[in-house]
Short mmCIF file of all heavy atoms in Angstrom, two decimals:
data_model
loop_
_atom_site.label_atom_id
_atom_site.label_comp_id
_atom_site.label_asym_id
_atom_site.label_seq_id
_atom_site.Cartn_x
_atom_site.Cartn_y
_atom_site.Cartn_z
N ILE A 210 137.05 90.05 9.92
CA ILE A 210 136.00 89.22 10.48
C ILE A 210 135.38 88.34 9.43
O ILE A 210 134.98 87.22 9.69
CB ILE A 210 134.91 90.12 11.16
CG1 ILE A 210 135.48 90.80 12.41
CG2 ILE A 210 133.63 89.33 11.48
CD1 ILE A 210 134.57 91.83 13.00
N GLN A 211 135.29 88.85 8.21
CA GLN A 211 134.66 88.11 7.11
C GLN A 211 133.27 87.64 7.51
O GLN A 211 133.00 86.45 7.59
CB GLN A 211 135.51 86.91 6.65
CG GLN A 211 136.90 87.32 6.19
CD GLN A 211 137.65 86.21 5.56
OE1 GLN A 211 137.36 85.83 4.44
NE2 GLN A 211 138.63 85.60 6.23
N PRO A 212 132.33 88.60 7.74
CA PRO A 212 130.98 88.25 8.22
C PRO A 212 130.29 87.21 7.34
O PRO A 212 129.50 86.44 7.85
CB PRO A 212 130.25 89.57 8.21
CG PRO A 212 131.24 90.62 8.20
CD PRO A 212 132.49 90.04 7.53
N GLU A 213 130.58 87.17 6.08
CA GLU A 213 129.95 86.24 5.16
C GLU A 213 130.27 84.79 5.55
O GLU A 213 129.56 83.87 5.22
CB GLU A 213 130.31 86.48 3.73
CG GLU A 213 131.73 86.30 3.38
CD GLU A 213 132.69 87.49 3.67
OE1 GLU A 213 132.25 88.42 4.33
OE2 GLU A 213 133.84 87.45 3.26
N LEU A 214 131.40 84.60 6.26
CA LEU A 214 131.79 83.25 6.67
C LEU A 214 131.12 82.82 7.97
O LEU A 214 131.05 81.64 8.29
CB LEU A 214 133.30 83.15 6.89
CG LEU A 214 134.16 83.33 5.63
CD1 LEU A 214 135.63 83.23 6.04
CD2 LEU A 214 133.83 82.34 4.57
N LEU A 215 130.69 83.80 8.75
CA LEU A 215 130.17 83.48 10.06
C LEU A 215 128.65 83.42 10.14
O LEU A 215 128.10 83.27 11.21
CB LEU A 215 130.68 84.56 11.08
CG LEU A 215 132.20 84.58 11.21
CD1 LEU A 215 132.61 85.63 12.20
CD2 LEU A 215 132.75 83.23 11.65
N ALA A 216 128.01 83.53 9.02
CA ALA A 216 126.55 83.47 8.98
C ALA A 216 126.10 82.11 9.51
O ALA A 216 126.66 81.08 9.19
CB ALA A 216 126.09 83.66 7.52
N ASP A 217 125.06 82.16 10.34
CA ASP A 217 124.55 80.95 10.96
C ASP A 217 124.01 79.94 9.95
O ASP A 217 123.96 78.74 10.22
CB ASP A 217 123.42 81.32 11.96
CG ASP A 217 123.96 82.01 13.20
OD1 ASP A 217 125.17 81.83 13.50
OD2 ASP A 217 123.18 82.72 13.84
N HIS A 218 123.57 80.41 8.79
CA HIS A 218 122.95 79.53 7.80
C HIS A 218 123.95 78.71 7.03
O HIS A 218 123.57 77.84 6.26
CB HIS A 218 122.03 80.30 6.88
CG HIS A 218 122.74 81.27 6.02
ND1 HIS A 218 123.01 82.53 6.47
CD2 HIS A 218 123.24 81.16 4.78
CE1 HIS A 218 123.69 83.16 5.50
NE2 HIS A 218 123.83 82.37 4.45
N LEU A 219 125.26 78.98 7.16
CA LEU A 219 126.25 78.24 6.43
C LEU A 219 126.36 76.83 7.03
O LEU A 219 126.61 76.66 8.21
CB LEU A 219 127.64 78.88 6.45
CG LEU A 219 127.75 80.19 5.64
CD1 LEU A 219 129.17 80.71 5.81
CD2 LEU A 219 127.44 79.95 4.20
N ASP A 220 126.17 75.84 6.25
CA ASP A 220 126.20 74.46 6.70
C ASP A 220 127.09 73.69 5.80
O ASP A 220 126.82 73.49 4.60
CB ASP A 220 124.77 73.88 6.65
CG ASP A 220 124.73 72.45 7.21
OD1 ASP A 220 125.75 71.93 7.66
OD2 ASP A 220 123.62 71.87 7.14
N CYS A 221 128.21 73.20 6.34
CA CYS A 221 129.24 72.47 5.55
C CYS A 221 129.08 70.99 5.56
O CYS A 221 129.98 70.26 5.17
CB CYS A 221 130.63 72.85 6.04
SG CYS A 221 131.04 74.60 5.89
N ARG A 222 127.98 70.48 6.11
CA ARG A 222 127.88 69.02 6.32
C ARG A 222 127.65 68.25 5.06
O ARG A 222 128.21 67.13 4.91
CB ARG A 222 126.82 68.72 7.38
CG ARG A 222 127.25 69.17 8.77
CD ARG A 222 126.20 68.91 9.77
NE ARG A 222 125.18 69.93 9.61
CZ ARG A 222 124.30 70.25 10.49
NH1 ARG A 222 124.22 69.54 11.61
NH2 ARG A 222 123.44 71.23 10.29
N SER A 223 126.84 68.76 4.16
CA SER A 223 126.58 67.95 2.94
C SER A 223 127.58 68.30 1.84
O SER A 223 128.07 69.45 1.73
CB SER A 223 125.16 68.20 2.45
OG SER A 223 125.10 69.42 1.79
N PRO A 224 127.91 67.35 0.99
CA PRO A 224 128.79 67.62 -0.12
C PRO A 224 128.30 68.70 -1.05
O PRO A 224 129.10 69.56 -1.51
CB PRO A 224 128.91 66.25 -0.84
CG PRO A 224 128.54 65.24 0.16
CD PRO A 224 127.55 65.91 1.07
N ALA A 225 126.99 68.73 -1.28
CA ALA A 225 126.46 69.77 -2.17
C ALA A 225 126.62 71.15 -1.54
O ALA A 225 126.96 72.12 -2.24
CB ALA A 225 124.99 69.49 -2.43
N ALA A 226 126.44 71.27 -0.24
CA ALA A 226 126.62 72.53 0.43
C ALA A 226 128.05 72.98 0.39
O ALA A 226 128.37 74.15 0.18
CB ALA A 226 126.10 72.47 1.88
N ARG A 227 128.97 72.07 0.61
CA ARG A 227 130.40 72.37 0.56
C ARG A 227 130.79 72.88 -0.80
O ARG A 227 131.55 73.84 -0.94
CB ARG A 227 131.24 71.16 0.98
CG ARG A 227 131.22 70.90 2.49
CD ARG A 227 132.31 69.90 2.89
NE ARG A 227 132.13 68.61 2.34
CZ ARG A 227 131.42 67.62 2.82
NH1 ARG A 227 130.80 67.81 3.99
NH2 ARG A 227 131.32 66.44 2.23
N GLU A 228 130.26 72.19 -1.84
CA GLU A 228 130.63 72.61 -3.19
C GLU A 228 130.04 74.00 -3.50
O GLU A 228 130.73 74.86 -4.08
CB GLU A 228 130.04 71.59 -4.21
CG GLU A 228 130.42 71.92 -5.63
CD GLU A 228 129.94 70.88 -6.63
OE1 GLU A 228 129.62 69.76 -6.21
OE2 GLU A 228 129.88 71.24 -7.79
#
Side-chain angles (χ1 to χ4, degrees):
I210 292 172
Q211 301 190 75
E213 65 277 9
L214 295 179
L215 299 179
D217 290 336
H218 65 275
L219 289 180
D220 182 4
C221 298
R222 290 179 281 198
S223 76
R227 285 194 297 272
E228 183 177 342

